[in-house]
Amino acid sequence: QGCTQKYIVKNYFYYYLFKFSAALGEEIFYITFLPFTYWNIDHSVSRRMIIVWSIVMYVGQVSKDILKWPRPLSPPVVKLEMRTNAEYGMPSTHAMAATAISFSFFIATMNQYKYPLELGLVAAFVFSTLVCLSRLYTGMHTVLDVIGGALISAVLLVLLYPAWDTIDHLLLTSPFCPLFSIVVPLILCYNYPKLDYYSPTRGDTTTILGAAAGATVGFWLNNQYSASAYAGKSVQPGFPLITSTVVFVLARFLVGILVVLLTRWLMKSVVLGVLGYRYKFPMADLAARRRLEVEVPYKFVTYSSVGFTATVIVPLLHELLGLL
C-alpha cells in the first residue's frame, strides 16, 4: 500500500518538527541514544532502559498483529510515511517507545544525578508528547492508537519498576544469562504471530530483541571478566571542566557510532551472503529476505552483533584510544 495523495506544506515549522519527532521513535534514534547513554552517562541507566525498551516494544509489536486494528484511512488523512503503512495501528509503538525510554531514563537518573525533578519530568513528558503528536501529524495513527500505546507503556513501566534491580542483578551475575538472552528472544522471533501478508513488524521486533540480546550478553561479559571501563567517569553537571567533558563525550560518541555502523554494515553483508548461499537467492532479492528462515537469523545476528559491539568492543576501543 502506498500513499497516492499529493499535499502542500503550509507550515514548515510543524512539518519539520513532527518529521524529526517521528524519527525519535525509529531505529536511527535507538542506535544512537542508547549507546550514547552507555558510553557517556551511566551503565546502570543504560541497562534499565534497554530492558524496558525491549519488553515494551515486543508487547507493542505483538499486540498490533493480534488486535489487527487498521491504520487511519487515506483519504481523508494524508500519510507522510510509506514503510510502516503495511503495519496495523493499535497500539502506536512509537508512542510506547517514547514513553518507555523517556520515563525510564527519568526514573533511573532522578536519584543518581542532581537536577530539578520537575525539569526531568517535564523533559520526559515533552519528549513523549512530541513523538505521540508526530504520529497524528504524519497520518499514521489515530488518537486512540497513540493514547493506547502511551497507557500500555506506562502500565508496563509500573509493573517492571519493582523488579528492575532484581532483573539487572540476574542479567549481570547469572551463569545462564548468555544462554537465556539468546535463546528466549530467538524463540519469540520464530514464533511471532503469522499474518496473511508481509508486515515489517516481525523484522522490527527481531531487530529490537537481537540488539537487546547482544547488549545483555555484553553487560554480563563485562561484569564477569573486566572492570567497568567507565566506573566513576559518568558525565556530571559542572562548568569548570565543561569544554574538556564535551570534547571527550563527542569523541567517544563519534568513534563508537562509527564502529557500530561499520559492524551493522559488515554483519548485514556477511549474514545475507551466507543465507543467500544456503537458500540460493541473490542478496538483492527482497522477497527472499522477507521469508521467516531468512529474516529472523539475518536481523537477529546482525543486531545482536551491534549490541555486543556497542557494549564490549567500543568501550575497549575507547580505553585503547585514551578516551575515558
Side-chain angles (χ1 to χ4, degrees):
Q1 297 177 3
C3 177
T4 57
Q5 289 179 284
K6 294 182 179 179
Y7 59 88
I8 298 173
V9 178
K10 294 183 178 180
N11 191 315
Y12 281 95
F13 173 77
Y14 288 143
Y15 178 78
Y16 287 113
L17 172 65
F18 290 125
K19 289 286 282 185
F20 173 76
S21 300
L24 298 178
E26 298 172 357
E27 179 186 343
I28 187 63
F29 176 73
Y30 305 145
I31 210 170
T32 54
F33 179 72
L34 293 175
F36 178 89
T37 305
Y38 189 78
W39 301 329
N40 291 301
I41 299 179
D42 190 282
H43 282 187
S44 65
V45 172
S46 181
R47 291 197 303 269
R48 284 159 173 75
M49 289 174 63
I50 289 173
I51 291 168
V52 171
W53 168 66
S54 58
I55 294 174
V56 164
M57 288 300 289
Y58 177 77
V59 170
Q61 296 285 73
V62 169
S63 297
K64 279 186 178 184
D65 289 341
I66 291 176
L67 293 174
K68 298 182 179 181
W69 286 19
R71 288 186 181 270
L73 294 176
S74 177
V77 305
V78 176
K79 294 186 177 180
L80 305 184
E81 294 181 14
M82 297 289 289
R83 179 182 175 275
T84 58
N85 196 35
E87 296 180 8
Y88 289 108
M90 177 67 171
S92 167
T93 46
H94 273 71
M96 293 184 71
T99 303
I101 287 177
S102 59
F103 282 94
S104 62
F105 181 81
F106 167 66
I107 294 168
T109 58
M110 65 181 182
N111 292 324
Q112 296 190 39
Y113 296 92
K114 293 181 180 179
Y115 64 84
L117 293 184
E118 296 81 3
L119 180 62
L121 187 60
V122 168
F125 179 79
V126 169
F127 178 91
S128 55
T129 300
L130 282 175
V131 175
C132 290
L133 291 177
S134 75
R135 307 316 290 157
L136 303 179
Y137 184 88
T138 55
M140 301 310 296
H141 285 286
T142 65
V143 174
L144 186 59
D145 294 343
V146 169
I147 293 175
L151 287 178
I152 292 171
S153 189
V155 170
L156 288 173
L157 266 174
V158 171
L159 293 176
L160 288 170
Y161 178 70
W164 266 14
D165 291 339
T166 302
I167 295 173
D168 189 52
H169 177 73
L170 289 174
L171 291 181
L172 290 178
T173 60
S174 172
F176 301 105
C177 172
L179 182 64
F180 179 86
S181 299
I182 298 297
V183 171
V184 172
L186 274 175
I187 291 174
L188 294 176
C189 292
Y190 274 109
N191 290 277
Y192 192 82
K194 293 178 174 61
L195 298 177
D196 296 331
Y197 64 93
Y198 178 79
S199 167
T201 48
R202 184 183 65 204
D204 291 345
T205 304
T206 306
T207 294
I208 292 165
L209 294 184
T216 302
V217 172
F219 297 150
W220 180 86
L221 195 65
N222 287 337
N223 187 68
Q224 295 295 315
Y225 297 105
S226 66
S228 174
Y230 302 96
K233 300 190 179 187
S234 302
V235 176
Q236 296 285 352
F239 294 99
L241 299 177
I242 188 68
T243 302
S244 175
T245 299
V246 169
V247 168
F248 274 90
V249 165
L250 289 177
R252 284 196 291 262
F253 175 72
L254 292 175
V255 169
I257 204 65
L258 180 63
V259 174
V260 164
L261 292 176
L262 182 62
T263 300
R264 184 178 67 162
W265 171 79
L266 180 63
M267 293 306 299
K268 274 186 176 182
S269 302
V270 171
V271 176
L272 273 178
V274 171
L275 291 171
Y277 177 79
R278 168 67 175 82
Y279 294 107
K280 311 299 181 187
F281 67 88
M283 291 179 64
D285 188 343
L286 184 59
R289 288 163 58 176
R290 290 175 169 178
R291 285 154 43 189
L292 174 68
E293 66 271 20
V294 174
E295 184 176 58
V296 170
Y298 150 54
K299 295 274 189 180
F300 192 87
V301 173
T302 297
Y303 285 93
S304 61
S305 301
V306 167
F308 184 83
T309 298
T311 54
V312 177
I313 307 301
V314 170
L316 290 176
L317 184 59
H318 286 164
E319 187 172 16
L320 182 66
L321 294 175
L323 295 176
L324 301 182

